[in-house]
């Protein structure tokens, strides 16, 4: 990597000041994407602002929501008693990300801000009607993800926490890419009384998306069998070395079936 | 062998003595070594597959911070340094020789694959060297890339010296007799199989540290090599034209090779050259991307097979036409792998009266292809065992029985195949029977039915393989085009207190030689194995040897050690006879003691050793003092491990995921020195075979870009991809060497891919699926199921 500056502020306020003073600086959350990118010399920021000192890693039940700090590591979410009690599917998702090393470093805020089309967390954010709280506003999940690696975040805007709505029932099932073990298709199904939300990651050319047809079918009949008649359109799905769009379409339906239990 | 030493002698599963340092992170690899004043090398590599180089501008790089020197192919050519050599060539069908184009250390005039080195930048740090390289400007005139090796003959010519991009067009066997046999056959089974291209992925990437000593004009090279002496020979005699004595090559701890570290690559040669040029030690360490792009790949064949059967389903003839991809340049053993290490194995375990094979080795704009665990034998086994299973299915026979009726019978050894090799010994039905018993073959249909109830397709697949290893009888190698001897050496030094230092020409890069070789010596001398140290990997310490590859270390290297120990025992008997005042003929050596037959007069081995070094009472007039012997062992034949592996899989039709649910491996490796280490080799080999069959695939796009150049896209086997292996043995000791041993290092990788693919096809056979290519990825399996269903619906 090219040499660069590194600062570790103690609050988001200090972090915002630091990023302004750097010119072209980058926030460093878990660094699971940024650090490899730097090592490959694919990026050369003027400096890194490490958010790990900003006290953004709390996890708490708040009324009808579960609020997770942006810097909570995947391992913390996976092992949190609160998460396991309130939304066990979210703990399961976190426990299946990457490998032990990635789970020890990677953060929920970093994953959501990066919006990698194969990341697991965006599907949970979307399906669980989450609200993304930044240093200056709150953004609904449906407005947050705007495209592959694209979000509604402004430059120099920091995610501080994410509030997930408590579902009646939820589940996440992914089919990992055999090599990278990122989601080749990951489906998060969440039921809120009569409403069912189905969010798909790993498959869309535009990143994570909700599947309206499956949502409406499951809203009227929450069963795997009810999905048999659903046709998953392969248009707009990613086609690569590991999975054609048609195969991904098949996996979306199959993973959704497996998530509906 | 000596009964009393069974604790740690031959046949005992002694824990590996070398593992403590590896398990505690204390191994010393080349990259762990640093020399005062060293500079770091970075290679600027081509990012296009095929192009003329119009201009290279290094001016800005030369003045970059920390840069000590920037050199191109012209600088090296000016010093008349040669490129890597091909160690084995074959004659072509038309009588011409293998086409051997030059391979400059740094590109001259042309680049031929993505990763081809164009320039080297030396700097104070690796990052500075890399930054310097970014300032080099290369002006290319791009040429049409040749990637599809089957049609490489029609592509743009890559080397002036290689017309139609064909390095060689070779044949073996009797074409007419085979044609006659096939035309008279009752049935001909035809199959086209592809052996997918693999990246070796040793855990430790390649590394070199070269140092020039201007006081005595000599070089020292630390490098990641499987054979330091060959590296020295090639560098000194063929590339630099310096005496071997002026180059010391040390291969310290080496983290795996699988064949990829046999050869001298351009990088270590450039480091040697540059160390003199700049007068400072030069170090280069590959990162994983460079390993993917520049380590020699493996396999990459297409084979067209025709197998003829008579009315009793006995094989009457076999013809195999192979096209293989050898990449941009010839590598040390790239020619012999698809020819004499492949075509000669086509008889397998079967009595086949007529065989003919033709192999075309093609040049493409991809990295060189050379030996990878098994080297030619996996490709031969894959095509043959896929064909055997297909034939059995087509004639409606149980695949095990079809093999059984075609096995070379036990009484037919030594057996002369129609493809040059003579198998000294073997007995194939016992390992088939035992493997079937281990996996409970007879109850398989019950398991298939039970799986079907769960919506899963269960299948079983057999592979009965043979391989030729223990490289190799030198005269045979020479007659077939090999340019090196294939003997192995050992020096056994008895120290004055009776401890032993063994110096071997073999090289251990994970195999466990320090343990296995010590067990041989301990067993033969009746001493504890803690008293035996094994030294390898340094041309200044060890006798000239050929290194480790081709499952040769025990059969050839171990045999050399055994011979040297025999010489030690013979000399010790003379010393004992003197000390015991007896005739040498009356001295028996047993359990570490020299005993006068029929008496209680004896001398322990340690007493003999001491007498040899403190020769106060010693027959100095007839015998030299000291106790140290050398041996060179040149085998009279290859050794022929064989076995049967049976795989059982379940396929999920909804996703195409293949789960390996059971595995029985029954191998005949002759005598086992350390069964635990052998079992480890079997496990590792099967894991690599499962990787090839289900997961791994090196994929270049049509522009010659390697799409699978990282672990994000190149899928290695992981623990959860593997079942718990059932491992068993039958034993027919090799008649070739005194130890009765064969080789076990590659067998797993040779045997396993066809067993697994046969099992997948068997699982899907109720759906009408009859073929499956490697790797059987979820997507591919799912597609095959979809296609079979749409055919059924029509």
């Amino acid at each position: 990597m090219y040499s660069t500056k590194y600062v570790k502020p103690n609050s988001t306020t200090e972090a915002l000041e630091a990023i302004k003073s750097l010119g072209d600086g980058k926030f460093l959350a878990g660094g699971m994407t940024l650090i490899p990118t730097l090592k490959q010399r694919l990026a050369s920021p003027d400096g890194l602002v490490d958010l790990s000192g900003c006290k953004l890693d709390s996890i708490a039940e708040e009324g009808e929501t579960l609020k997770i700090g942006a810097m909570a590591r995947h391992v913390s979410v996976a092992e949190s008693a609160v998460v396991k009690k309130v939304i066990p599917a979210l703990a399961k998702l976190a426990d299946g990300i990457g490998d032990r090393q990635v789970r020890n470093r990677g953060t929920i805020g970093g994953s959501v801000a990066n919006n990698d089309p194969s990341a697991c967390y965006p599907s949970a954010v979307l399906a669980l009607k989450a609200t993304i709280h930044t240093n200056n506003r709150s953004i609904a999940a449906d407005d947050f993800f705007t495209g592959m690696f694209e979000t509604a975040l402004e430059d120099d805007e920091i995610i501080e926490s994410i509030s997930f709505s408590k579902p009646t029932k939820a589940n996440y099932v992914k089919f990992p890419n055999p090599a990278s073990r990122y989601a080749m298709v990951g489906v998060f199904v969440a039921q809120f009384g009569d409403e069912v939300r189905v969010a798909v990651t790993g498959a869309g050319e535009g990143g994570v998306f909700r599947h309206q047809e499956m949502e409406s079918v499951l809203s009227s009949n929450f069963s795997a069998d009810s999905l048999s008649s659903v046709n998953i359109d392969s248009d707009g799905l990613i086609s690569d070395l590991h999975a054609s769009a048609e195969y991904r379409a098949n996996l979306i339906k199959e993973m959704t079936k497996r998530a509906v239990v | 062998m000596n009964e009393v030493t069974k604790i740690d002698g031959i046949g005992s599963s002694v824990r590996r003595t070398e593992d403590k340092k590896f398990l505690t992170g204390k191994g010393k690899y080349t990259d762990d070594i640093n020399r005062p004043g060293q500079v770091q090398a970075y290679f600027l590599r081509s990012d296009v597959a095929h192009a003329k180089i119009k201009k290279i501008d290094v001016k800005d790089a030369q003045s970059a911070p920390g840069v000590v020197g920037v050199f191109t192919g012209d600088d090296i050519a000016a010093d008349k340094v040669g490129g890597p050599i091909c160690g084995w060539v074959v004659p072509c069908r038309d009588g011409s020789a293998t086409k051997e184009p030059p391979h400059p250390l740094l590109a001259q005039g042309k680049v031929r694959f993505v990763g081809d080195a164009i320039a080297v930048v030396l700097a104070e740090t690796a990052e500075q060297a890399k930054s310097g390289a970014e300032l080099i400007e290369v002006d290319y005139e791009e040429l049409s890339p040749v990637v599809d090796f089957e049609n490489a003959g029609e592509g743009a010519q890559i080397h002036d010296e290689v017309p139609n991009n064909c390095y060689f067009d070779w044949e073996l066997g009797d074409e007419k007799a085979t044609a006659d046999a096939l035309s008279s056959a009752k049935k001909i089974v035809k199959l086209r199989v592809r052996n997918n291209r693999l990246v070796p992925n040793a855990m430790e990437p390649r590394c070199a540290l070269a140092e020039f000593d201007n006081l005595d004009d000599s070089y020292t090279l630390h490098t990641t090599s499987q054979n330091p002496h060959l590296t020295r020979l090639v560098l000194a005699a063929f590339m630099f034209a310096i005496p071997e004595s002026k180059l010391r090559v040390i291969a310290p701890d080496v983290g795996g090779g699988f064949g990829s570290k046999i050869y001298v690559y351009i990088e270590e040669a450039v480091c040697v050259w540059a160390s003199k040029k700049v007068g400072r030690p030069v170090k280069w360490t590959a990162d994983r991307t460079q390993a993917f792009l520049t380590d020699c790949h493996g396999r990459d064949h297409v084979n067209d097979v025709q197998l003829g059967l008579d009315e009793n389903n006995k094989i009457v003839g076999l013809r195999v036409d192979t096209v293989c991809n050898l990449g941009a340049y010839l590598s040390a053993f790239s020619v012999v792998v698809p020819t004499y290490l492949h075509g000669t194995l086509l008889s397998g375990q079967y009595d086949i009266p007529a065989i003919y094979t033709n192999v075309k080795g093609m040049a493409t704009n991809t990295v060189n292809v050379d030996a990878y665990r098994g080297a030619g034998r996996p490709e031969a086994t894959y095509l043959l065992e896929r064909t055997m299973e297909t034939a059995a299915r087509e004639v409606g026979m149980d695949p095990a029985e079809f093999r059984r009726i075609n096995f070379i019978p036990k009484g037919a050894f030594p057996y002369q195949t129609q493809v040059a090799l003579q198998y000294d010994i073997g007995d194939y039905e016992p390992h088939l029977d035992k493997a079937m018993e281990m996996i409970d073959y007879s109850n398989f249909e019950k398991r298939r039915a039970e799986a079907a109830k769960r919506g899963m397709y269960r299948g079983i697949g057999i592979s009965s393989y043979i391989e030729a290893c223990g490289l190799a009888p030198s005269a045979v190698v020479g007659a077939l085009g090999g340019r090196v001897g294939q003997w192995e050496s050992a020096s056994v030094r008895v120290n004055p207190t009776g401890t032993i230092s063994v110096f071997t020409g073999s090289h251990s890069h994970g195999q466990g030689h320090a343990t296995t070789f010590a067990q041989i010596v301990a067993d033969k001398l009746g001493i504890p194995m803690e008293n035996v140290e094994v030294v390898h990997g340094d041309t200044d310490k060890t006798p000239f040897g050929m290194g480790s590859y081709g499952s040769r270390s025990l059969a050839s290297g171990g045999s050399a050690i055994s011979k040297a120990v025999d010489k030690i025992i013979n000399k010790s008997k003379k010393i004992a006879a003197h000390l015991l005042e007896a005739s040498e003929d009356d001295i028996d050596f047993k359990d570490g003691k020299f005993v006068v037959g029929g008496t209680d007069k004896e001398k322990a081995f340690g007493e003999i050793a001491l007498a040899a070094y403190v020769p106060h009472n010693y027959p100095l007039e007839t015998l030299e003092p000291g106790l140290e012997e050398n041996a060179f062992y040149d085998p009279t034949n290859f050794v022929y491990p064989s076995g049967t592996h049976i795989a059982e899989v379940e396929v999920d039709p909804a996703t195409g995921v293949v789960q390996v649910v059971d595995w029985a491996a029954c191998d005949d490796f002759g005598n086992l020195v350390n069964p635990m280490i052998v079992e480890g080799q079997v496990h590792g080999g099967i894991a690599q075979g499962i990787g090839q069959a289900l997961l791994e695939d090196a994929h270049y796009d049509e522009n010659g870009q390697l799409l699978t150049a990282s672990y994000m896209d190149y899928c290695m086997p992981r623990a959860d991809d593997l079942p718990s292996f059932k491992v068993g043995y039958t034993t027919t000791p090799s008649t070739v060497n005194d130890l009765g041993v064969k080789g076990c290092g590659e067998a797993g990788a040779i045997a396993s891919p066809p067993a697994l693919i046969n099992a997948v096809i068997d699982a899907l056979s109720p759906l009408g699926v009859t073929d499956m290519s490697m790797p059987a990825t979820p997507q591919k399996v799912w597609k095959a199921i979809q296609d079979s269903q749409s055919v059924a619906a029509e």
Side-chain angles (χ1 to χ4, degrees):
Chain A
M1 65 186 275
Y2 299 107
S3 62
T4 190
K5 289 185 198 126
Y6 170 85
V7 288
K8 188 177 172 184
N10 292 314
S11 67
T12 46
T13 313
E14 282 181 35
L16 289 163
E17 283 165 14
I19 204 95
K20 282 198 185 77
S21 71
L22 279 170
D24 180 23
K26 285 260 183 210
F27 291 122
L28 175 68
M32 294 297 91
T33 300
L34 181 55
I35 298 293
T37 307
L38 295 176
K39 280 179 151 179
Q40 290 173 65
R41 297 189 162 197
L42 296 173
S44 54
D46 294 334
L48 298 176
V49 179
D50 184 350
L51 300 177
S52 66
C54 296
K55 304 168 201 76
L56 297 175
D57 54 358
S58 65
I59 299 175
E61 197 176 353
E62 287 189 2
E64 284 311 298
T65 66
L66 173 71
K67 194 169 184 180
I68 301 180
M71 287 299 290
R73 313 275 176 191
H74 305 327
V75 65
S76 309
V77 176
E79 293 176 357
S80 159
V82 180
V83 179
K84 281 185 189 170
K85 180 178 74 112
V86 180
I87 315 179
L90 195 58
K92 175 186 164 189
L93 175 150
D95 197 39
I97 297 173
D99 53 25
R100 199 174 287 274
Q101 288 78 7
V102 167
R103 291 193 292 275
N104 282 335
R105 293 298 307 165
T107 65
I108 187 169
S111 171
V112 170
N114 192 45
N115 193 18
D116 187 307
S118 301
C120 295
Y121 266 129
S123 68
V125 170
L126 206 48
L128 290 169
K129 293 199 276 192
T131 302
I132 291 96
H133 306 288
T134 76
N135 53 300
N136 61 11
R137 59 179 169 151
S138 294
I139 310 169
D142 284 328
D143 302 325
F144 184 80
F145 300 108
T146 55
M148 192 183 271
F149 294 108
E150 298 288 336
T151 68
L153 289 173
E154 302 286 337
D155 283 350
D156 303 345
E157 187 172 11
I158 299 172
I159 300 178
E160 292 186 328
S161 64
I162 300 170
S163 301
F164 294 91
S165 306
K166 290 184 195 169
T168 331
K169 209 175 184 183
N171 197 11
Y172 178 69
V173 177
K174 81 166 160 181
F175 190 96
N177 175 314
S180 70
R181 304 231 165 156
Y182 269 90
M184 204 148 83
V185 165
V187 179
F188 204 107
V189 177
Q191 194 177 21
F192 299 89
D194 294 343
E195 183 192 4
V196 175
R197 288 169 70 105
V198 178
V200 180
T201 188
E205 284 178 337
V208 66
F209 64 93
R210 284 171 61 190
H211 200 281
Q212 269 83 10
E213 191 187 345
M214 289 200 289
E215 288 184 353
S216 74
V217 167
L218 290 172
S219 297
S220 53
N221 178 6
F222 193 77
S223 73
D225 287 346
S226 72
L227 293 169
S228 299
S229 60
V230 176
N231 179 44
I232 310 289
D233 192 348
S234 60
D235 273 2
L237 298 184
I238 299 169
S239 222
D240 60 23
L241 209 54
H242 306 283
S244 64
E246 292 73 27
Y247 181 55
R248 277 194 166 86
N250 169 68
L251 289 177
I252 288 171
K253 187 155 152 182
E254 190 57 32
M255 294 306 110
T256 309
K257 281 184 176 176
R258 292 176 189 195
V260 176
V261 285
Chain B
M1 299 297 158
N2 295 309
E3 301 255 325
V4 76
T5 58
K6 275 298 175 200
I7 318 155
D8 51 12
I10 290 174
S12 176
S13 286
V14 182
R15 289 265 184 104
R16 286 165 39 120
T17 54
E18 56 266 74
D19 278 352
K20 190 174 178 186
K21 67 174 173 174
F22 296 130
L23 295 174
T24 55
K26 302 281 170 52
K28 198 171 177 75
Y29 298 88
T30 301
D31 191 52
D32 295 323
I33 300 164
N34 293 294
R35 300 294 298 153
Q38 74 188 15
V39 294
Q40 298 279 347
Y42 181 83
F43 287 86
L44 176 72
R45 299 182 186 281
S46 175
D47 52 13
V48 296
H50 196 192
K52 281 185 184 156
I53 300 174
K54 287 158 70 180
K55 196 176 158 223
I56 307 173
D57 185 350
V58 301
K59 206 156 41 8
D60 291 347
Q62 280 169 330
S63 56
V67 168
V68 173
V70 183
F71 303 104
T72 66
D74 288 346
D75 297 310
I76 290 176
D79 280 358
K80 297 189 170 54
V81 179
I85 58 160
C86 183
W88 195 319
V89 291
V90 297
C92 293
R93 283 203 284 191
D94 65 5
S96 65
T98 297
K99 314 303 177 289
E100 294 183 82
H103 182 181
L105 295 186
L106 295 172
Q108 281 202 282
K110 218 176 169 190
V111 287
R112 295 182 174 86
F113 68 99
V114 172
D116 213 354
I118 296 168
V120 64
V121 179
L122 308 175
E124 301 294 341
T125 71
E127 290 293 325
Q128 287 174 330
K130 199 171 179 180
S131 295
E134 286 175 356
L135 300 174
I136 298 174
E137 280 182 34
V138 184
D139 194 3
Y140 296 113
E141 177 189 331
E142 289 202 41
L143 301 168
S144 170
V146 181
V147 180
D148 169 14
F149 68 91
E150 287 178 78
N151 298 303
E154 286 88 62
Q157 190 162 329
I158 297 169
H159 295 278
D160 294 344
E161 300 83 358
V162 187
N164 304 313
N165 292 325
C166 184
Y167 290 118
F168 63 80
D169 180 354
W170 170 87
E171 65 182 350
L172 182 67
D174 190 329
E175 184 170 21
K176 183 173 181 309
T178 305
D180 291 347
L182 291 174
S183 65
S184 69
K186 179 167 171 276
K187 179 174 178 60
I188 295 178
V189 180
K190 291 185 180 174
L191 197 65
R192 182 178 172 81
V193 298
R194 179 178 286 272
N195 214 284
N196 46 327
R197 183 175 178 123
L198 304 175
V199 180
N201 278 310
M203 196 178 286
E204 180 201 18
R206 290 190 289 121
C207 184
L209 172 57
E211 186 170 8
F212 178 69
D213 182 343
N214 64 7
L215 295 178
D216 65 358
D217 240 15
S218 72
Y219 300 86
T220 300
L221 172 67
H222 285 83
T223 186
T224 46
S225 174
Q226 298 178 214
N227 42 8
H229 272 288
L230 269 186
T231 298
R232 179 171 80 160
L233 178 67
V234 170
L235 284 168
F238 295 95
M239 297 167 84
F240 287 89
I242 56 172
E244 287 110 305
S245 57
K246 293 295 183 187
L247 173 63
R248 177 183 183 185
V249 176
I250 303 166
D253 289 332
V254 174
F258 310 112
S260 70
K261 293 171 182 167
I262 296 174
Y263 340 108
V264 178
Y265 288 84
I266 59 107
E267 288 88 355
E268 49 258 39
V270 169
C271 288
V272 170
W273 174 80
S275 70
K276 183 176 181 183
K277 195 82 182 168
V278 300
R280 292 171 65 176
V282 176
K283 185 172 184 181
W284 168 76
T285 305
D287 58 21
R288 189 54 70 180
T289 304
Q290 291 179 69
F292 270 100
L293 291 175
T294 68
D295 289 1
C296 288
H297 291 180
R299 317 284 193 255
D300 219 4
H301 282 203
V302 167
N303 321 97
D304 279 295
V305 190
Q306 298 177 66
L307 184 76
L309 306 178
D310 70 10
E311 60 282 4
N312 299 316
N313 295 326
K314 290 271 289 176
I315 301 167
V316 295
L318 172 69
R319 180 180 173 121
V320 181
D321 292 280
T322 293
V323 184
C324 62
N325 186 358
L326 299 188
Y329 302 95
L330 286 185
S331 171
F333 294 118
S334 61
V335 174
V336 71
V337 168
T339 55
Y340 284 111
L341 293 179
H342 176 255
T344 53
L345 273 300
L346 290 174
S347 200
Q349 300 185 2
Y350 311 109
D351 182 19
I352 306 180
I355 304 176
Y356 173 77
T357 188
N358 166 233
V359 181
K360 294 182 179 70
M362 308 305 292
T364 61
N365 295 118
T366 65
V367 72
N368 309 345
V369 179
D370 204 323
Y372 173 69
R373 201 171 191 171
R377 292 98 85 207
E379 295 91 318
T381 302
Y382 182 70
L383 72 88
L384 189 59
E385 289 305 292
R386 282 286 315 276
T387 306
M388 291 300 284
E389 200 98 347
T390 305
R393 198 170 290 117
E394 288 188 9
V395 300
M397 271 188 87
D398 180 281
E401 292 316 301
F402 177 67
R403 285 179 172 85
R404 195 185 300 278
I405 64 167
N406 281 294
F407 276 156
I408 298 163
K410 185 181 180 182
F413 294 92
Y415 177 83
Q416 179 62 51
T417 70
Q418 299 306 305
V419 275
L421 295 178
Q422 189 187 69
Y423 304 161
D424 63 326
I425 194 166
D427 189 4
Y428 305 141
E429 283 198 60
H431 53 60
L432 175 65
D433 289 336
K434 192 166 174 183
M436 289 168 72
E437 192 183 314
M438 285 160 66
I439 207 152
D440 190 19
Y441 189 85
S442 57
N443 286 310
F444 171 72
E445 290 302 332
K446 284 184 201 159
R447 297 194 292 279
R448 196 202 294 268
E450 184 278 325
K453 282 185 197 151
R454 291 184 276 113
M456 303 293 273
Y457 289 94
R458 195 166 175 122
I460 195 163
I462 300 177
S463 166
S464 292
Y465 76 94
I466 191 161
E467 73 132 325
C469 61
L471 305 184
S474 296
V476 175
V477 166
L480 300 181
R483 287 166 166 167
V484 289
Q486 282 288 344
W487 42 264
E488 196 43 85
S489 65
S491 177
V492 174
R493 178 185 301 160
V494 180
N495 299 309
T497 61
T499 62
I500 312 283
S501 301
V502 177
F503 303 84
T504 171
S506 303
H507 186 275
S508 184
H509 32 280
Q511 292 89 339
H513 294 172
T515 308
T516 300
F517 288 168
Q519 283 180 258
I520 295 172
V521 176
D523 191 290
K524 293 190 72 135
L525 291 177
I527 59 172
M529 66 176 279
E530 303 88 86
N531 289 2
V532 184
E533 66 159 342
V534 176
V535 180
H536 73 105
D538 183 342
T539 56
D540 266 13
K541 293 180 179 168
T542 63
F544 190 97
M546 309 310 291
S548 289
Y549 45 83
S551 300
R552 67 188 303 275
S553 296
L554 179 58
S556 297
S559 293
I561 292 169
S562 176
K563 277 187 62 164
V565 173
D566 286 341
K567 291 183 184 176
I568 294 283
I569 293 170
N570 284 342
K571 183 171 178 182
S572 297
K573 278 185 180 172
K574 291 186 170 64
I575 301 168
H578 174 87
L579 295 176
L580 295 165
E581 295 174 335
S583 159
E584 188 189 331
D585 296 339
D586 294 336
I587 303 287
D588 295 325
F589 180 57
K590 196 166 184 290
D591 302 342
K593 293 192 180 83
F594 295 87
V595 183
V596 181
T599 75
D600 57 359
K601 287 166 65 180
E602 62 178 41
K603 286 283 177 191
F605 178 72
E607 294 177 274
I608 303 296
L610 193 62
Y613 287 97
V614 188
H616 298 164
N617 175 19
Y618 192 91
L620 284 168
E621 57 286 356
T622 57
L623 205 59
E624 294 172 7
L627 200 49
E628 177 168 344
E629 298 286 354
N630 296 320
F632 286 76
Y633 169 76
D634 199 305
T636 54
N637 194 352
F638 295 88
V639 292
Y640 298 97
S642 64
T644 293
H645 286 217
I646 306 181
E648 213 165 303
V649 302
E650 282 191 4
V651 180
D652 180 348
T655 59
V657 168
V658 175
Q659 176 89 34
V660 185
V661 291
D662 206 358
W663 198 284
C666 186
D667 297 292
D668 178 357
F669 297 136
N671 296 327
L672 308 183
V673 174
N674 185 317
M676 180 200 70
I677 289 178
V678 171
E679 187 169 344
Q681 287 282 354
V682 172
H683 285 198
I686 299 171
Q688 269 173 303
I690 290 175
Q692 169 162 30
L694 294 185
L695 308 165
E696 298 183 46
D697 200 19
H699 188 86
Y700 283 90
D701 71 8
E702 68 277 10
N703 297 316
Q705 296 291 338
L706 183 62
L707 297 185
T708 52
S710 82
Y711 294 127
M712 294 294 281
D713 290 302
Y714 189 89
C715 187
M716 295 291 283
R718 295 165 163 95
D720 63 356
D721 294 312
L722 310 174
S724 194
F725 304 117
K726 294 169 177 158
V727 177
Y729 307 99
T730 58
T731 306
T732 55
S734 169
T735 65
V736 175
N737 58 65
D738 292 344
L739 296 169
V741 297
K742 302 176 183 174
C744 67
E746 295 160 291
I750 292 168
S752 51
L756 192 41
I757 296 298
N758 286 339
V760 172
I761 295 170
D762 181 55
L764 301 180
S765 59
L767 296 166
V769 173
T770 57
D771 194 16
M772 178 58 59
S773 64
M774 297 192 290
T777 59
Q779 164 170 248
K780 203 186 281 177
V781 172
W782 175 79
K783 181 91 171 31
I785 294 170
Q786 300 305 306
D787 292 349
S788 74
Q789 285 172 348
S790 60
V791 168
E794 276 165 16

